[in-house]
Amino acid sequence: MKTTPFSLFLRTAALLVALTPALALAHQEAGQATGLLAGLTHPVSGMDHLLAMVAVGLWGAVLGQPAIWVLPVAFPLMMALGGLMGLLGFPLPGVEIGIAASAIVLGAVVLTEQRPPLMLATLITAMFAIFHGHAHGAELPEGASALTYSLGFVISTGLLHAVGILIGTVHGRQFGRKVVRAAGGGVAIAGLFFMWKALA
Amino acid sequence: MRKIWTGAGATGLAIFAAPARAHLASTGFGDFYDGIAHVLITPEDLLVVIAAALLAGQRGTAAARLAALALPLAWLVGGLVGTRWQLMSTQPLLTTSTFVLAGLMVALDRRLNVAAVVTVAVIAGLLHGLANGPTMTPAGIGVQGLIGAISAVGVLTLLLSSQIAALTRDWHRIAVRVAGSWIAASGLLMFGWLYQSAT
């Protein structure tokens, strides 16, 4: 049987759904379903996080191999490190400004098709990931399982990168290239709005 | 087309699965099946099995075969010791460390030799078995439940690691690394939650 990306996506989605039945009544492992669902929905509930995640995927697609997968691998790890810092009580000044800056910078590099060396691109995304993790990774709803929340949060972030990469696949075509650059521009403009809100 | 409809139907059924009304995990079919269910619905256990299987699969068939033996056997030994042992306060930290470490190694795609993979599997199995023992005994599912749990661990490890070892396309192997990074990232966040709950 030939495995296509679509069939693999369907199987992964089915597996994820199968792992989320209503388990909240188990005594020892309470709040798993709540945690997973809260984690999955949290990144898509805030436009600042959502747009920056999509922009990471877009930039990866613009840069091509190996950045197309290095950035989405580095981002969740560094985001988790940021979340860990938040949970341990390490202060990180200007978190909201950092998040807004991430949308501006990531949108701008997609718009202008910047192609820095892989190490620099990874460093830029990793730095912004710490801000996103610090701000969003530590918002556990009451009664939810911390691990399934974290898992949902990371998976959702990864899927947002995948959305960016999917959009970015049209970059190879003349019209698609304009679409990707326009999407980057849109993220940058939204980032300016977030920055205005953060500074206000 | 038929496969898509079958998959959509199965997904729909999974969404509307009935709640598990249980002390630990009660299937209604006895201790053995409760042990299987325990592994499947305990994220810490499931993640370490997935991470160890991904790691073993990445390193080829020899590592996959040995890990599929080492992980459940170590889990059994740990579990048997754990039935007579109180849960240590550092246990959650140790069990979380195992899947963070395994996930990181998967994400980095380190060229580990077979002995190193088996060592990871043994350490993970022992620590998670030690955690399972004290939680299963008060719930009354004891050794039979433990055997159910290690059966689930063995089958999952074998199925997953053999599938991963058979992957040949580049993007398949990248997907494995991404999965490893997600597991490690979730564990890193979990360290923070453990710290918060301890203070």
Side-chain angles (χ1 to χ4, degrees), chain A residues 3-193:
Chain A
T3 305
T4 63
F6 181 65
S7 68
L8 192 72
F9 173 77
L10 274 183
R11 282 184 222 167
T12 310
L15 180 65
L16 284 174
V17 170
L19 289 174
T20 57
L23 303 167
L25 297 175
H27 283 200
Q28 293 279 339
E29 301 292 340
Q32 291 176 341
T34 317
L36 186 63
L37 287 175
L40 283 169
T41 51
H42 187 87
V44 292
S45 63
M47 281 301 282
D48 50 356
H49 191 74
L50 187 150
L51 289 177
M53 300 307 99
V54 173
V56 169
L58 283 173
W59 198 24
V62 169
L63 292 172
Q65 289 282 7
I68 197 167
W69 62 268
V70 169
L71 301 189
V73 165
F75 195 96
L77 284 170
M78 295 308 290
M79 185 185 72
L81 197 64
L84 178 62
M85 284 168 62
L87 287 161
L88 294 180
F90 280 99
L92 188 63
V95 170
E96 292 304 321
I97 293 171
I99 290 172
S102 72
I104 296 170
V105 172
L106 291 168
V109 291
V110 173
L111 173 68
T112 56
E113 296 183 316
Q114 290 297 315
R115 296 175 193 278
L118 178 65
M119 186 64 83
L120 183 59
T122 309
L123 273 175
I124 291 168
T125 46
M127 183 186 71
F128 288 133
I130 290 175
F131 287 105
H132 284 270
H134 198 281
H136 295 280
E139 297 169 6
L140 179 71
E142 190 75 28
S145 157
L147 181 54
T148 52
Y149 172 80
S150 305
L151 193 60
F153 185 75
V154 169
I155 289 173
S156 187
T157 298
L159 292 177
L160 287 174
H161 293 326
V163 168
I165 292 170
L166 272 176
I167 297 170
T169 52
V170 298
H171 188 257
R173 299 174 188 181
Q174 190 64 31
F175 177 72
R177 191 173 169 186
K178 288 177 185 167
V179 169
V180 171
R181 293 184 67 180
V187 172
I189 290 168
L192 287 172
F193 173 70

Side-chain angles (χ1 to χ4, degrees), chain A residues 1-6 8 10 14 17-19 21-23 25-29 32 65 69 72-73 76-77 80-81 83-84 87-88 137-140 146-151 153-155 158-159, chain B residues 3-4 7 11 14-15 17-24 38 40-44 46-47 99 104 107 135 169 171-172 174-175 177-178 181-193 195-196:
Chain A
M1 188 176 73
K2 192 182 172 191
T3 305
T4 63
F6 181 65
L8 192 72
L10 274 183
V17 170
L19 289 174
L23 303 167
L25 297 175
H27 283 200
Q28 293 279 339
E29 301 292 340
Q32 291 176 341
Q65 289 282 7
W69 62 268
V73 165
L77 284 170
L81 197 64
L84 178 62
L87 287 161
L88 294 180
E139 297 169 6
L140 179 71
L147 181 54
T148 52
Y149 172 80
S150 305
L151 193 60
F153 185 75
V154 169
I155 289 173
L159 292 177
Chain B
K3 280 178 193 163
I4 291 174
T11 306
I15 289 170
R21 296 169 189 277
H23 273 267
L24 199 65
H38 175 71
L40 298 179
I41 66 164
T42 307
E44 289 89 343
L46 197 56
L47 284 181
F99 65 80
L104 271 177
T135 51
R169 292 185 186 176
W171 72 268
H172 285 168
I174 289 168
R177 294 180 73 168
V178 170
S181 75
W182 288 0
I183 292 170
S186 307
L188 279 176
L189 280 170
M190 192 61 202
F191 283 142
W193 297 117
Y195 171 79
Q196 276 218 332

Side-chain angles (χ1 to χ4, degrees), chain B residues 1-190:
Chain B
M1 198 57 170
R2 194 177 160 191
K3 280 178 193 163
I4 291 174
W5 281 112
T6 310
T11 306
L13 286 173
I15 289 170
F16 296 106
R21 296 169 189 277
H23 273 267
L24 199 65
S26 181
T27 58
F29 293 111
D31 293 351
F32 179 79
Y33 293 97
D34 290 353
I36 294 174
H38 175 71
V39 171
L40 298 179
I41 66 164
T42 307
E44 289 89 343
D45 290 348
L46 197 56
L47 284 181
V48 83
V49 173
I50 294 171
L54 294 179
L55 182 67
Q58 267 184 331
R59 300 278 63 88
T61 47
R65 284 188 197 124
L66 286 172
L69 279 174
L71 184 64
L73 283 177
W75 203 296
L76 176 64
V77 172
L80 289 173
V81 174
T83 53
R84 298 170 183 278
W85 200 356
Q86 288 295 310
L87 199 63
M88 293 181 294
S89 58
T90 52
Q91 198 79 31
L93 189 67
L94 292 171
T95 49
T96 303
S97 303
T98 56
F99 65 80
V100 170
L101 185 70
L104 271 177
M105 284 190 281
V106 172
L108 294 171
D109 200 5
R110 303 300 302 165
R111 304 223 173 274
L112 300 173
N113 59 31
V114 174
V117 173
V118 172
T119 305
V120 171
V122 168
I123 292 170
L126 282 172
L127 287 172
H128 284 260
L130 276 172
N132 273 186
T135 51
M136 282 182 169
T137 310
I141 59 174
V143 176
Q144 271 197 41
L146 190 61
I147 292 169
I150 65 153
S151 304
V153 170
V155 170
L156 275 176
T157 311
L158 191 63
L159 284 176
L160 195 55
S161 60
S162 58
Q163 288 292 314
I164 302 302
L167 296 179
T168 50
R169 292 185 186 176
D170 282 348
W171 72 268
H172 285 168
R173 300 195 70 84
I174 289 168
V176 171
R177 294 180 73 168
V178 170
S181 75
W182 288 0
I183 292 170
S186 307
L188 279 176
L189 280 170
M190 192 61 202

